[in-house]
Amino acid sequence: MISDDVKKGVEKTPHRSLFKAMGYTDTEIQRPLVGVVNSQNDIVPGHVHLDTVVEAVKTGVLIGGGTPIGFPTIAVCDGIAMGHEGMHYSLVSRELIADSIETMTKAHRFDALVMVTNCDKVVPGMLMAAARINIPTVIVSGGPMLSVNVDGKDLDLSSAFEAVGAYKAGRLSREKLKECENWACPGCGSCSGMFTANSMNCLTEVLGMGLPGNGTIPAVFSERLRLAKDAGIKVMELFNKGIKPEHILTREAFLNALTVDMALGCSTNSMLHLPAIAYEANVDLNLDLANEVSSRTPNLCKLSPAGPYHIQDLYYAGGIQAVMKELDKKNLLNTDLLTVTGSSIKESIEKAVNKNPQVIRPIEEPYSPTGGIAVLKGKLAPNGCVVKKSAVADEMLVHSGPAKVYDSENDAIKAIYGGSIKAGDVVIIRYEGPKGGPGMREMLSPTSALAGMGLDKQVALITDGRFSGATRGAAIGHVSPEAAEGGNIGLVKNGDRIDIDITKGIIEWDISEEEYEERRKAFKPKEAKIKKGYLSRYAKLVSSASTGAVLKG
């Protein structure tokens, strides 16, 4: 056991003494030591209840014959951090989470891990750590928030953001705005649509690192606690069998995840997180694969923001296992792969049933014959950019219009609320990438403002930053190279014509070669906005969004 490094032999007398200072008995010390990572805090709705889940995990570990030892990591609420300086710290927290887990695990010599997680950057951060550390590990989420129905409409966090735009446009009363505020987020859990947190919790199942139900069992259901106990039991089985993340996180597993990603229409942030996790697992995963997978994968689900359904509806319909079974009908998945269940995907999905063909379309009757996410390339984004195609209105799949250019999200929001954006425009927000932000802020405020004002079917938004999973409309992010790295998005001027064809994967910038060369010669990227602290260090080390925005140094 790895933990023998801190407990075996006469030489470890001082170490055992420290364990006994905490109340551990000889019997507990002799057992495998299982780290239980806890991202609970009192500022994130998805994490406020995680102590209860952690206690269930610890019970499972004890049942399985291990000694559970809890330790914390951080979590940022993207919704609360949205639209101000705090959003610079959201994506960058992913690396801190992975590093902190590595530090605690290596320093204290744990034999196995159960990671209790939930929200946007925490799930991928923990998966990155699992791949990097490579000891038996199970990921268990705290579960999704419920959505409640008000005036015939199921609300979620995006409803609240869009309500602001509707109110400012005079389309919603102050009373209805307050009602939305009170009911959009009715309790604990990760926000109820197929936003980033739930996307990654669902894809954790597909990757094989979470038990069936991990992504869809609601946070408030007792089934969530039973799942947590099972996770504790299972990690001991993995330990006894010597099954590690390297046996699960294979290239084929990532291709499965991309396939289900396309079928579900997950958050575009999955195009950042899957490559980052793959990087830690020594698997090459590039954006070009996304369109290849999308071309053969039908879009089976339209969950909020792409459609009217929420994660609880997906749960009642049969969950991720039912989606995978639909895809398996056309042999779109490798079902021979190992998972943390200790058995294959084929065995896990064998009894799955699609209980609601409206929520999970049968594969013979998909919403679209191709996937819910598209990667676009062209002069504006030579290394690619990403759009949630399933959340784009049909009339915006092909769009041309004049650029309205802003060098920060804040400037763009002022312009939108100030009435400067007109139907047909292409809003460009730059210097918001991994380096230029720094931290690649999410743009839910401007996209929600456009949607609330009724412009989401008339205006496109392009950025080297990124979008919340709650975003809908022709919102194109992750433009690479970013402006701060000298990318072409930094050369665009107001009035330049931008041509977008999402169906063909094209994003073009209508400019003559002569004009382009003149601008290129005169161009000098703006200096970093933040020059000290963690964000400054992050900006110096972070890679492009096209490679997952990972730290390389």
Side-chain angles (χ1 to χ4, degrees):
M1 290 189 287
I2 296 171
S3 62
D4 285 347
D5 289 350
V6 296
K7 68 186 186 184
K8 189 174 183 180
V10 172
E11 297 81 5
K12 304 305 179 192
T13 296
H15 301 67
R16 291 192 297 272
S17 180
L18 290 167
F19 275 94
K20 288 180 178 179
M22 296 177 280
Y24 292 103
T25 65
D26 286 329
T27 300
E28 289 175 298
I29 295 168
Q30 288 165 10
R31 290 174 178 166
L33 304 184
V34 179
V36 182
V37 187
N38 184 3
S39 54
Q40 192 276 339
N41 60 44
D42 295 339
I43 191 64
V44 184
H47 295 246
V48 71
H49 65 302
L50 290 189
D51 278 349
T52 310
V53 179
V54 165
E55 287 307 310
V57 168
K58 288 180 177 180
T59 298
V61 172
L62 288 168
I63 291 170
T67 296
I69 301 175
F71 67 88
T73 190
I74 63 169
V76 169
C77 177
D78 277 32
I80 294 174
M82 195 75 65
H84 54 83
E85 182 186 9
M87 184 44 69
H88 289 292
Y89 289 89
S90 174
L91 180 61
V92 308
S93 72
R94 186 187 71 181
E95 318 308 312
L96 284 176
I97 290 161
D99 290 351
S100 69
I101 296 170
E102 176 194 2
T103 299
M104 290 294 289
T105 302
K106 293 288 189 180
H108 300 107
R109 316 308 290 153
F110 292 115
D111 297 300
L113 293 167
V114 180
M115 302 188 187
V116 181
T117 181
N118 221 12
C119 290
D120 298 41
K121 310 310 161 303
V122 193
V123 183
M126 289 191 178
L127 284 164
M128 290 165 69
R132 186 189 303 173
I133 298 164
N134 197 36
I135 59 176
T137 302
V138 178
I139 310 290
V140 57
S141 85
M145 188 183 290
L146 292 175
S147 172
V148 297
N149 191 285
V150 177
D151 294 335
K153 181 182 179 183
D154 292 325
L155 300 182
D156 56 41
L157 180 64
S158 62
S159 307
F161 273 94
E162 291 180 14
V164 175
Y167 172 74
K168 286 182 176 286
R171 302 170 66 209
L172 191 73
S173 70
R174 188 62 181 263
E175 291 73 26
K176 287 296 182 183
L177 180 66
K178 187 69 174 180
E179 185 176 70
C180 185
E181 175 185 323
N182 289 338
W183 290 105
C185 300
C188 66
S190 48
C191 297
S192 56
M194 189 52 82
F195 311 150
T196 306
N198 291 323
S199 294
M200 294 310 302
N201 281 325
C202 290
L203 294 182
T204 297
E205 271 189 61
V206 184
L207 285 169
M209 291 298 294
L211 296 174
N214 180 73
T216 58
I217 299 170
V220 295
F221 283 16
S222 62
E223 188 181 355
R224 175 61 56 183
L225 299 181
R226 298 197 295 274
L227 180 85
K229 289 178 184 176
D230 286 340
I233 294 168
K234 281 295 177 186
V235 82
M236 294 311 302
E237 292 180 12
L238 298 180
F239 172 77
N240 291 327
K241 293 177 181 178
I243 298 174
K244 302 175 183 178
E246 67 182 355
H247 302 126
I248 297 171
L249 292 174
T250 62
R251 179 175 173 79
E252 291 75 18
F254 284 99
L255 290 175
N256 278 354
L258 274 176
T259 301
V260 177
D261 193 345
M262 297 302 168
L264 290 172
C266 289
S267 164
T268 51
N269 283 315
S270 63
M271 293 293 102
L272 277 177
H273 299 321
L274 287 176
I277 299 160
Y279 173 78
E280 297 291 353
N282 297 314
V283 171
D284 180 32
L285 193 72
N286 60 60
L287 283 181
D288 292 334
L289 274 173
N291 281 346
E292 181 185 325
V293 172
S294 179
S295 68
R296 61 175 182 262
T297 306
N299 179 216
L300 304 182
C301 300
K302 278 195 178 290
L303 302 161
S304 178
Y309 303 111
H310 290 80
I311 302 299
Q312 67 207 45
D313 301 307
L314 180 59
Y315 165 74
Y316 290 125
I320 298 304
Q321 305 299 301
V323 175
M324 294 175 77
K325 192 162 186 178
E326 288 290 346
L327 293 169
D328 190 45
K329 289 179 181 177
K330 291 196 174 181
N331 299 313
L332 292 173
L333 298 174
N334 184 332
T335 59
D336 294 327
L337 303 183
L338 183 66
T339 76
V340 292
T341 63
S343 56
S344 68
I345 292 172
K346 185 179 296 183
E347 293 171 87
S348 294
I349 67 174
E350 187 177 4
K351 295 181 181 179
V353 176
N354 183 354
K355 300 174 183 176
N356 189 336
Q358 296 304 312
V359 176
I360 305 172
R361 285 284 185 91
I363 199 159
E364 300 83 7
E365 303 173 35
Y367 283 106
S368 166
T370 56
I373 292 178
V375 173
L376 316 182
K377 285 191 174 182
K379 192 156 193 172
L380 192 62
N383 294 344
C385 55
V386 180
V387 63
K388 188 167 183 171
K389 184 172 68 173
S390 61
V392 179
D394 288 344
E395 54 265 47
M396 288 299 294
L397 290 171
V398 178
H399 180 77
S400 294
K404 292 281 184 71
V405 183
Y406 304 94
D407 285 346
S408 74
E409 177 193 13
N410 297 349
D411 289 346
I413 292 171
K414 288 177 185 175
I416 293 168
Y417 284 141
S420 299
I421 307 304
K422 308 299 181 186
D425 285 346
V426 177
V427 177
I428 291 183
I429 306 176
R430 60 194 181 192
Y431 292 102
E432 292 287 5
K435 287 183 182 294
M440 206 178 182
R441 292 195 288 179
E442 284 187 344
M443 307 281 171
L444 183 55
S445 293
T447 56
S448 296
L450 290 171
M453 298 169 85
L455 291 171
D456 58 301
K457 295 181 181 179
Q458 300 170 303
V459 171
L461 198 156
I462 300 171
T463 181
D464 53 9
R466 61 195 179 90
F467 295 107
S468 164
T471 291
R472 62 186 172 96
I476 300 166
H478 307 193
V479 170
S480 301
E482 61 175 293
E485 286 194 306
N488 285 344
I489 190 172
L491 279 65
V492 180
K493 293 183 178 180
N494 285 322
D496 288 354
R497 190 164 193 83
I498 306 297
D499 301 315
I500 303 162
D501 191 331
I502 294 172
T503 58
K504 294 181 179 178
I506 295 171
I507 184 163
E508 288 296 349
W509 173 30
D510 189 5
I511 183 174
S512 70
E513 196 59 34
E514 294 77 14
E515 176 68 16
Y516 172 75
E517 290 299 332
E518 283 185 23
R519 292 192 197 178
R520 172 56 62 191
K521 287 176 186 176
F523 179 61
K524 184 179 179 182
K526 291 190 172 185
E527 291 187 6
K529 300 172 187 173
I530 299 172
K531 299 181 180 180
K532 65 179 182 178
Y534 174 51
L535 289 176
S536 177
R537 296 194 300 275
Y538 177 90
K540 292 172 183 173
L541 296 173
V542 69
S543 72
S544 168
S546 62
T547 56
V550 295
L551 296 186
K552 295 181 179 179

